[in-house]
Amino acid sequence: MLQERIPDLSKFVEPDRVRRELYTDAEIFELEMQRIHETVWIYCGHLSQIPKAGDYYTVQIGRQPMVMVRKSDGGVSVLYNRCPHRGNMICGDMKGNTGEAFRCSYHAWTFHHDGKLKNIPMMESGYQGTRFTRDNPDCNMKAAARVEVYRGFVFASLAKDGPTLKEFLREAIVAFDDMCDRAPDGEVEVVPNCFRVIQHSNWKLFMENQIDALHPSVTHQSTGRAAHEVEKEIASKTKTGEAPLSYHMLSAFATVTIDKWDSFQTINYPYGHCILTGYMGLRPQDPDTLAYDKIMIEKHGKKRFEEIVGVNIHHVLVYPGLSVQSPLQQLRAVRPLGVDRTLTEIWHFRLKGAPEAIYRRSLAYYNLVNSPATLINADDLENFWKCHQGLASDGGDWVSFARHFGRDIEKNGVVESGPDMGTSEAPMRNQMKAWVQYMKG
Ligand code: FES
Ligand SMILES: [Fe+2]
């Protein structure tokens, strides 16, 4: 057993480095699924994915196949996607509408949207005198221990006890507030469907990379430079001397240098969450932005409008499985599949009440920066695969997170990267600190 082989997992993690087995050992992975992913609050999806009663979406939480479903009373359930009869998966499709009840394809047991047994065919004749009675909870589809919704974002925890969703999210809750507050109607709507990418690496490499401010100007330099060349050429031919904003989304990877990244800051919270500050320059003065500003000011007044669009966030990481870029309504959810295989779901949202042009901006970022069609994503995927290959080798035992180690500023458990040290590896150190706490059980 793992516990005997590895008596103290915390020995694998030092404040500035971790052992490579964290990324490659299948038994450590199993324990991570049990103690982290199947314990904490995991993002399941957005209510707008399941607008009508019976609408469902399947989702993986740790090793557990789950299904998120809209109930007839408007609420939402998150259930294990398993029939209590002989274990058949209830929903074989990724999404759909189950009608009034779930119906198992094997022997037609049916279940209400909250998982409770509705009917067993020929129940009276077949089950009289057996343990299968209507009031036996073993006849129900099992539900996630806890489900909470925050501003339309649905989370589930498979553990009965633990912090509430708000207590768990702490300051990282700003990801959802910032996204929704930017909508004139105060809410967002998912854009169906998402991109799904499977990377050939451990899930933690994805989480570490999301707030690795050191890598963009290196890893994505060639992509950024090529985009910058095209941007300059187009700009030289326009009346305003400017190329459309979408070119800037890519060229920024070349023009935003490491100095600039250093001027941002990471703020690291308990449970492994992190906020990367730095305004993305989303307040250009083009007619589309001005039209949006006008709608927002009419709705909220000038003061509140300035507060909303002035939120200084680039990226929010909700450990262990969510990366949100709220100013551009982007969300990526991480679903570990195995020690060396990780699925990411890449979603984007529409600001309700905002002009179409503002949506096109978020779509452009989605396609140009986060989608599998862009070279940015390909640049990262190649690194993930190469990192995993290197970590699986005997070329070394440790992974280093030493950049700016010892220079973090800690106050009440919150760790900020030092001044002009935005590229500090503080977020990775913080994630590993949380990892140890979770793994200790
Ligand atoms: S396995 Fe579902 S009804 Fe038999
Ligand atoms: Fe990247």
Side-chain angles (χ1 to χ4, degrees), residues 209-210 212 215-216 219-220 253 332 369 376-377 379-381 383-384:
N209 184 68
Q210 288 309 89
D212 180 333
H215 90 282
T219 298
H220 307 302
F253 286 93
R332 281 171 281 182
V369 181
I376 298 291
N377 191 297
D379 293 336
D380 287 324
L381 286 169
N383 276 349
F384 296 148

mmCIF file with all atom_site columns, all heavy atoms in Angstrom, residues 209-210 212 215-216 219-220 253 332 369 376-377 379-381 383-384, ligand 2:
data_model
loop_
_atom_site.group_PDB
_atom_site.id
_atom_site.type_symbol
_atom_site.label_atom_id
_atom_site.label_alt_id
_atom_site.label_comp_id
_atom_site.label_asym_id
_atom_site.label_entity_id
_atom_site.label_seq_id
_atom_site.pdbx_PDB_ins_code
_atom_site.Cartn_x
_atom_site.Cartn_y
_atom_site.Cartn_z
_atom_site.occupancy
_atom_site.B_iso_or_equiv
_atom_site.pdbx_formal_charge
_atom_site.auth_seq_id
_atom_site.auth_comp_id
_atom_site.auth_asym_id
_atom_site.auth_atom_id
_atom_site.pdbx_PDB_model_num
ATOM   1   N  N   . ASN A 1 209 ? 1.037   26.143 -14.583 1.00 0.00 ? 209 ASN A N   1
ATOM   2   C  CA  . ASN A 1 209 ? 1.292   26.981 -15.754 1.00 0.00 ? 209 ASN A CA  1
ATOM   3   C  C   . ASN A 1 209 ? 0.336   28.169 -15.845 1.00 0.00 ? 209 ASN A C   1
ATOM   4   O  O   . ASN A 1 209 ? 0.681   29.213 -16.403 1.00 0.00 ? 209 ASN A O   1
ATOM   5   C  CB  . ASN A 1 209 ? 1.168   26.122 -17.017 1.00 0.00 ? 209 ASN A CB  1
ATOM   6   C  CG  . ASN A 1 209 ? 1.510   26.890 -18.277 1.00 0.00 ? 209 ASN A CG  1
ATOM   7   O  OD1 . ASN A 1 209 ? 2.663   27.256 -18.468 1.00 0.00 ? 209 ASN A OD1 1
ATOM   8   N  ND2 . ASN A 1 209 ? 0.529   27.147 -19.112 1.00 0.00 ? 209 ASN A ND2 1
ATOM   9   N  N   . GLN A 1 210 ? -0.868  28.010 -15.284 1.00 0.00 ? 210 GLN A N   1
ATOM   10  C  CA  . GLN A 1 210 ? -1.877  29.055 -15.468 1.00 0.00 ? 210 GLN A CA  1
ATOM   11  C  C   . GLN A 1 210 ? -1.435  30.388 -14.879 1.00 0.00 ? 210 GLN A C   1
ATOM   12  O  O   . GLN A 1 210 ? -1.784  31.438 -15.390 1.00 0.00 ? 210 GLN A O   1
ATOM   13  C  CB  . GLN A 1 210 ? -3.211  28.618 -14.845 1.00 0.00 ? 210 GLN A CB  1
ATOM   14  C  CG  . GLN A 1 210 ? -3.923  27.544 -15.613 1.00 0.00 ? 210 GLN A CG  1
ATOM   15  C  CD  . GLN A 1 210 ? -4.071  27.893 -17.080 1.00 0.00 ? 210 GLN A CD  1
ATOM   16  O  OE1 . GLN A 1 210 ? -3.195  27.594 -17.879 1.00 0.00 ? 210 GLN A OE1 1
ATOM   17  N  NE2 . GLN A 1 210 ? -5.152  28.529 -17.448 1.00 0.00 ? 210 GLN A NE2 1
ATOM   18  N  N   . ASP A 1 212 ? 1.891   31.092 -14.220 1.00 0.00 ? 212 ASP A N   1
ATOM   19  C  CA  . ASP A 1 212 ? 3.337   31.151 -14.384 1.00 0.00 ? 212 ASP A CA  1
ATOM   20  C  C   . ASP A 1 212 ? 3.618   32.357 -15.283 1.00 0.00 ? 212 ASP A C   1
ATOM   21  O  O   . ASP A 1 212 ? 3.625   32.255 -16.502 1.00 0.00 ? 212 ASP A O   1
ATOM   22  C  CB  . ASP A 1 212 ? 3.817   29.857 -15.052 1.00 0.00 ? 212 ASP A CB  1
ATOM   23  C  CG  . ASP A 1 212 ? 5.316   29.837 -15.255 1.00 0.00 ? 212 ASP A CG  1
ATOM   24  O  OD1 . ASP A 1 212 ? 5.917   30.934 -15.373 1.00 0.00 ? 212 ASP A OD1 1
ATOM   25  O  OD2 . ASP A 1 212 ? 5.901   28.742 -15.296 1.00 0.00 ? 212 ASP A OD2 1
ATOM   26  N  N   . HIS A 1 215 ? 6.542   32.388 -18.045 1.00 0.00 ? 215 HIS A N   1
ATOM   27  C  CA  . HIS A 1 215 ? 6.628   31.630 -19.298 1.00 0.00 ? 215 HIS A CA  1
ATOM   28  C  C   . HIS A 1 215 ? 6.091   32.323 -20.554 1.00 0.00 ? 215 HIS A C   1
ATOM   29  O  O   . HIS A 1 215 ? 6.610   32.058 -21.634 1.00 0.00 ? 215 HIS A O   1
ATOM   30  C  CB  . HIS A 1 215 ? 5.976   30.242 -19.131 1.00 0.00 ? 215 HIS A CB  1
ATOM   31  C  CG  . HIS A 1 215 ? 4.520   30.212 -19.468 1.00 0.00 ? 215 HIS A CG  1
ATOM   32  N  ND1 . HIS A 1 215 ? 3.545   30.680 -18.631 1.00 0.00 ? 215 HIS A ND1 1
ATOM   33  C  CD2 . HIS A 1 215 ? 3.867   29.786 -20.590 1.00 0.00 ? 215 HIS A CD2 1
ATOM   34  C  CE1 . HIS A 1 215 ? 2.365   30.527 -19.208 1.00 0.00 ? 215 HIS A CE1 1
ATOM   35  N  NE2 . HIS A 1 215 ? 2.533   29.996 -20.393 1.00 0.00 ? 215 HIS A NE2 1
ATOM   36  N  N   . PRO A 1 216 ? 5.077   33.227 -20.458 1.00 0.00 ? 216 PRO A N   1
ATOM   37  C  CA  . PRO A 1 216 ? 4.476   33.683 -21.716 1.00 0.00 ? 216 PRO A CA  1
ATOM   38  C  C   . PRO A 1 216 ? 5.464   34.320 -22.688 1.00 0.00 ? 216 PRO A C   1
ATOM   39  O  O   . PRO A 1 216 ? 5.449   34.020 -23.882 1.00 0.00 ? 216 PRO A O   1
ATOM   40  C  CB  . PRO A 1 216 ? 3.419   34.699 -21.264 1.00 0.00 ? 216 PRO A CB  1
ATOM   41  C  CG  . PRO A 1 216 ? 3.114   34.334 -19.861 1.00 0.00 ? 216 PRO A CG  1
ATOM   42  C  CD  . PRO A 1 216 ? 4.381   33.780 -19.292 1.00 0.00 ? 216 PRO A CD  1
ATOM   43  N  N   . THR A 1 219 ? 7.743   31.029 -23.868 1.00 0.00 ? 219 THR A N   1
ATOM   44  C  CA  . THR A 1 219 ? 7.005   29.952 -24.544 1.00 0.00 ? 219 THR A CA  1
ATOM   45  C  C   . THR A 1 219 ? 6.223   30.462 -25.753 1.00 0.00 ? 219 THR A C   1
ATOM   46  O  O   . THR A 1 219 ? 6.192   29.810 -26.791 1.00 0.00 ? 219 THR A O   1
ATOM   47  C  CB  . THR A 1 219 ? 6.023   29.300 -23.537 1.00 0.00 ? 219 THR A CB  1
ATOM   48  O  OG1 . THR A 1 219 ? 6.779   28.741 -22.470 1.00 0.00 ? 219 THR A OG1 1
ATOM   49  C  CG2 . THR A 1 219 ? 5.176   28.227 -24.182 1.00 0.00 ? 219 THR A CG2 1
ATOM   50  N  N   . HIS A 1 220 ? 5.598   31.622 -25.608 1.00 0.00 ? 220 HIS A N   1
ATOM   51  C  CA  . HIS A 1 220 ? 4.714   32.111 -26.671 1.00 0.00 ? 220 HIS A CA  1
ATOM   52  C  C   . HIS A 1 220 ? 5.356   33.210 -27.507 1.00 0.00 ? 220 HIS A C   1
ATOM   53  O  O   . HIS A 1 220 ? 4.671   33.922 -28.231 1.00 0.00 ? 220 HIS A O   1
ATOM   54  C  CB  . HIS A 1 220 ? 3.397   32.610 -26.058 1.00 0.00 ? 220 HIS A CB  1
ATOM   55  C  CG  . HIS A 1 220 ? 2.735   31.606 -25.174 1.00 0.00 ? 220 HIS A CG  1
ATOM   56  N  ND1 . HIS A 1 220 ? 2.379   30.359 -25.619 1.00 0.00 ? 220 HIS A ND1 1
ATOM   57  C  CD2 . HIS A 1 220 ? 2.388   31.634 -23.858 1.00 0.00 ? 220 HIS A CD2 1
ATOM   58  C  CE1 . HIS A 1 220 ? 1.830   29.662 -24.614 1.00 0.00 ? 220 HIS A CE1 1
ATOM   59  N  NE2 . HIS A 1 220 ? 1.836   30.417 -23.537 1.00 0.00 ? 220 HIS A NE2 1
ATOM   60  N  N   . PHE A 1 253 ? 1.879   38.765 -26.409 1.00 0.00 ? 253 PHE A N   1
ATOM   61  C  CA  . PHE A 1 253 ? 2.798   37.732 -25.916 1.00 0.00 ? 253 PHE A CA  1
ATOM   62  C  C   . PHE A 1 253 ? 4.247   38.056 -26.283 1.00 0.00 ? 253 PHE A C   1
ATOM   63  O  O   . PHE A 1 253 ? 5.174   37.531 -25.682 1.00 0.00 ? 253 PHE A O   1
ATOM   64  C  CB  . PHE A 1 253 ? 2.402   36.349 -26.454 1.00 0.00 ? 253 PHE A CB  1
ATOM   65  C  CG  . PHE A 1 253 ? 1.181   35.809 -25.764 1.00 0.00 ? 253 PHE A CG  1
ATOM   66  C  CD1 . PHE A 1 253 ? -0.085  36.015 -26.285 1.00 0.00 ? 253 PHE A CD1 1
ATOM   67  C  CD2 . PHE A 1 253 ? 1.293   35.135 -24.560 1.00 0.00 ? 253 PHE A CD2 1
ATOM   68  C  CE1 . PHE A 1 253 ? -1.218  35.538 -25.644 1.00 0.00 ? 253 PHE A CE1 1
ATOM   69  C  CE2 . PHE A 1 253 ? 0.171   34.647 -23.899 1.00 0.00 ? 253 PHE A CE2 1
ATOM   70  C  CZ  . PHE A 1 253 ? -1.083  34.849 -24.441 1.00 0.00 ? 253 PHE A CZ  1
ATOM   71  N  N   . ARG A 1 332 ? -11.541 27.846 -17.633 1.00 0.00 ? 332 ARG A N   1
ATOM   72  C  CA  . ARG A 1 332 ? -11.042 26.508 -17.968 1.00 0.00 ? 332 ARG A CA  1
ATOM   73  C  C   . ARG A 1 332 ? -11.148 25.600 -16.745 1.00 0.00 ? 332 ARG A C   1
ATOM   74  O  O   . ARG A 1 332 ? -10.721 25.988 -15.658 1.00 0.00 ? 332 ARG A O   1
ATOM   75  C  CB  . ARG A 1 332 ? -9.604  26.591 -18.474 1.00 0.00 ? 332 ARG A CB  1
ATOM   76  C  CG  . ARG A 1 332 ? -9.564  27.047 -19.932 1.00 0.00 ? 332 ARG A CG  1
ATOM   77  C  CD  . ARG A 1 332 ? -8.188  27.358 -20.424 1.00 0.00 ? 332 ARG A CD  1
ATOM   78  N  NE  . ARG A 1 332 ? -7.730  28.662 -19.989 1.00 0.00 ? 332 ARG A NE  1
ATOM   79  C  CZ  . ARG A 1 332 ? -6.557  29.192 -20.316 1.00 0.00 ? 332 ARG A CZ  1
ATOM   80  N  NH1 . ARG A 1 332 ? -5.722  28.502 -21.074 1.00 0.00 ? 332 ARG A NH1 1
ATOM   81  N  NH2 . ARG A 1 332 ? -6.214  30.394 -19.894 1.00 0.00 ? 332 ARG A NH2 1
ATOM   82  N  N   . VAL A 1 369 ? -6.534  32.662 -28.178 1.00 0.00 ? 369 VAL A N   1
ATOM   83  C  CA  . VAL A 1 369 ? -5.585  32.393 -27.096 1.00 0.00 ? 369 VAL A CA  1
ATOM   84  C  C   . VAL A 1 369 ? -5.848  31.047 -26.404 1.00 0.00 ? 369 VAL A C   1
ATOM   85  O  O   . VAL A 1 369 ? -4.918  30.310 -26.111 1.00 0.00 ? 369 VAL A O   1
ATOM   86  C  CB  . VAL A 1 369 ? -5.594  33.546 -26.057 1.00 0.00 ? 369 VAL A CB  1
ATOM   87  C  CG1 . VAL A 1 369 ? -4.591  33.273 -24.935 1.00 0.00 ? 369 VAL A CG1 1
ATOM   88  C  CG2 . VAL A 1 369 ? -5.263  34.866 -26.744 1.00 0.00 ? 369 VAL A CG2 1
ATOM   89  N  N   . ILE A 1 376 ? -0.962  29.417 -29.275 1.00 0.00 ? 376 ILE A N   1
ATOM   90  C  CA  . ILE A 1 376 ? -0.680  29.659 -27.851 1.00 0.00 ? 376 ILE A CA  1
ATOM   91  C  C   . ILE A 1 376 ? -0.949  28.380 -27.065 1.00 0.00 ? 376 ILE A C   1
ATOM   92  O  O   . ILE A 1 376 ? -0.113  27.910 -26.302 1.00 0.00 ? 376 ILE A O   1
ATOM   93  C  CB  . ILE A 1 376 ? -1.568  30.809 -27.301 1.00 0.00 ? 376 ILE A CB  1
ATOM   94  C  CG1 . ILE A 1 376 ? -1.291  32.125 -28.029 1.00 0.00 ? 376 ILE A CG1 1
ATOM   95  C  CG2 . ILE A 1 376 ? -1.405  30.966 -25.790 1.00 0.00 ? 376 ILE A CG2 1
ATOM   96  C  CD1 . ILE A 1 376 ? 0.039   32.759 -27.769 1.00 0.00 ? 376 ILE A CD1 1
ATOM   97  N  N   . ASN A 1 377 ? -2.124  27.804 -27.295 1.00 0.00 ? 377 ASN A N   1
ATOM   98  C  CA  . ASN A 1 377 ? -2.474  26.569 -26.598 1.00 0.00 ? 377 ASN A CA  1
ATOM   99  C  C   . ASN A 1 377 ? -1.496  25.455 -26.986 1.00 0.00 ? 377 ASN A C   1
ATOM   100 O  O   . ASN A 1 377 ? -1.031  24.689 -26.141 1.00 0.00 ? 377 ASN A O   1
ATOM   101 C  CB  . ASN A 1 377 ? -3.925  26.195 -26.973 1.00 0.00 ? 377 ASN A CB  1
ATOM   102 C  CG  . ASN A 1 377 ? -4.484  25.086 -26.114 1.00 0.00 ? 377 ASN A CG  1
ATOM   103 O  OD1 . ASN A 1 377 ? -3.965  23.983 -26.142 1.00 0.00 ? 377 ASN A OD1 1
ATOM   104 N  ND2 . ASN A 1 377 ? -5.530  25.373 -25.374 1.00 0.00 ? 377 ASN A ND2 1
ATOM   105 N  N   . ASP A 1 379 ? 1.595   25.776 -27.921 1.00 0.00 ? 379 ASP A N   1
ATOM   106 C  CA  . ASP A 1 379 ? 2.885   26.029 -27.247 1.00 0.00 ? 379 ASP A CA  1
ATOM   107 C  C   . ASP A 1 379 ? 2.875   25.409 -25.848 1.00 0.00 ? 379 ASP A C   1
ATOM   108 O  O   . ASP A 1 379 ? 3.818   24.741 -25.439 1.00 0.00 ? 379 ASP A O   1
ATOM   109 C  CB  . ASP A 1 379 ? 3.106   27.542 -27.044 1.00 0.00 ? 379 ASP A CB  1
ATOM   110 C  CG  . ASP A 1 379 ? 3.301   28.329 -28.338 1.00 0.00 ? 379 ASP A CG  1
ATOM   111 O  OD1 . ASP A 1 379 ? 3.707   27.730 -29.342 1.00 0.00 ? 379 ASP A OD1 1
ATOM   112 O  OD2 . ASP A 1 379 ? 3.052   29.556 -28.307 1.00 0.00 ? 379 ASP A OD2 1
ATOM   113 N  N   . ASP A 1 380 ? 1.792   25.662 -25.120 1.00 0.00 ? 380 ASP A N   1
ATOM   114 C  CA  . ASP A 1 380 ? 1.692   25.150 -23.742 1.00 0.00 ? 380 ASP A CA  1
ATOM   115 C  C   . ASP A 1 380 ? 1.597   23.627 -23.731 1.00 0.00 ? 380 ASP A C   1
ATOM   116 O  O   . ASP A 1 380 ? 2.242   22.966 -22.929 1.00 0.00 ? 380 ASP A O   1
ATOM   117 C  CB  . ASP A 1 380 ? 0.467   25.738 -23.030 1.00 0.00 ? 380 ASP A CB  1
ATOM   118 C  CG  . ASP A 1 380 ? 0.661   27.204 -22.665 1.00 0.00 ? 380 ASP A CG  1
ATOM   119 O  OD1 . ASP A 1 380 ? 1.788   27.588 -22.313 1.00 0.00 ? 380 ASP A OD1 1
ATOM   120 O  OD2 . ASP A 1 380 ? -0.331  27.958 -22.715 1.00 0.00 ? 380 ASP A OD2 1
ATOM   121 N  N   . LEU A 1 381 ? 0.767   23.094 -24.636 1.00 0.00 ? 381 LEU A N   1
ATOM   122 C  CA  . LEU A 1 381 ? 0.583   21.631 -24.662 1.00 0.00 ? 381 LEU A CA  1
ATOM   123 C  C   . LEU A 1 381 ? 1.899   20.917 -24.908 1.00 0.00 ? 381 LEU A C   1
ATOM   124 O  O   . LEU A 1 381 ? 2.173   19.863 -24.345 1.00 0.00 ? 381 LEU A O   1
ATOM   125 C  CB  . LEU A 1 381 ? -0.428  21.248 -25.747 1.00 0.00 ? 381 LEU A CB  1
ATOM   126 C  CG  . LEU A 1 381 ? -1.878  21.557 -25.416 1.00 0.00 ? 381 LEU A CG  1
ATOM   127 C  CD1 . LEU A 1 381 ? -2.761  21.393 -26.650 1.00 0.00 ? 381 LEU A CD1 1
ATOM   128 C  CD2 . LEU A 1 381 ? -2.392  20.658 -24.298 1.00 0.00 ? 381 LEU A CD2 1
ATOM   129 N  N   . ASN A 1 383 ? 4.878   22.008 -24.053 1.00 0.00 ? 383 ASN A N   1
ATOM   130 C  CA  . ASN A 1 383 ? 5.636   22.045 -22.793 1.00 0.00 ? 383 ASN A CA  1
ATOM   131 C  C   . ASN A 1 383 ? 5.116   21.022 -21.787 1.00 0.00 ? 383 ASN A C   1
ATOM   132 O  O   . ASN A 1 383 ? 5.890   20.379 -21.097 1.00 0.00 ? 383 ASN A O   1
ATOM   133 C  CB  . ASN A 1 383 ? 5.553   23.431 -22.151 1.00 0.00 ? 383 ASN A CB  1
ATOM   134 C  CG  . ASN A 1 383 ? 6.592   24.384 -22.720 1.00 0.00 ? 383 ASN A CG  1
ATOM   135 O  OD1 . ASN A 1 383 ? 7.504   23.984 -23.439 1.00 0.00 ? 383 ASN A OD1 1
ATOM   136 N  ND2 . ASN A 1 383 ? 6.457   25.654 -22.396 1.00 0.00 ? 383 ASN A ND2 1
ATOM   137 N  N   . PHE A 1 384 ? 3.781   20.903 -21.697 1.00 0.00 ? 384 PHE A N   1
ATOM   138 C  CA  . PHE A 1 384 ? 3.206   19.962 -20.724 1.00 0.00 ? 384 PHE A CA  1
ATOM   139 C  C   . PHE A 1 384 ? 3.711   18.550 -21.004 1.00 0.00 ? 384 PHE A C   1
ATOM   140 O  O   . PHE A 1 384 ? 4.126   17.823 -20.106 1.00 0.00 ? 384 PHE A O   1
ATOM   141 C  CB  . PHE A 1 384 ? 1.664   19.954 -20.785 1.00 0.00 ? 384 PHE A CB  1
ATOM   142 C  CG  . PHE A 1 384 ? 1.026   21.270 -20.401 1.00 0.00 ? 384 PHE A CG  1
ATOM   143 C  CD1 . PHE A 1 384 ? -0.174  21.669 -20.980 1.00 0.00 ? 384 PHE A CD1 1
ATOM   144 C  CD2 . PHE A 1 384 ? 1.601   22.090 -19.449 1.00 0.00 ? 384 PHE A CD2 1
ATOM   145 C  CE1 . PHE A 1 384 ? -0.769  22.867 -20.626 1.00 0.00 ? 384 PHE A CE1 1
ATOM   146 C  CE2 . PHE A 1 384 ? 1.001   23.286 -19.084 1.00 0.00 ? 384 PHE A CE2 1
ATOM   147 C  CZ  . PHE A 1 384 ? -0.181  23.677 -19.681 1.00 0.00 ? 384 PHE A CZ  1
HETATM 148 FE FE  . FE  B 2 .   ? 1.046   29.622 -21.799 1.00 0.00 ? 2   FE  B FE  1
#
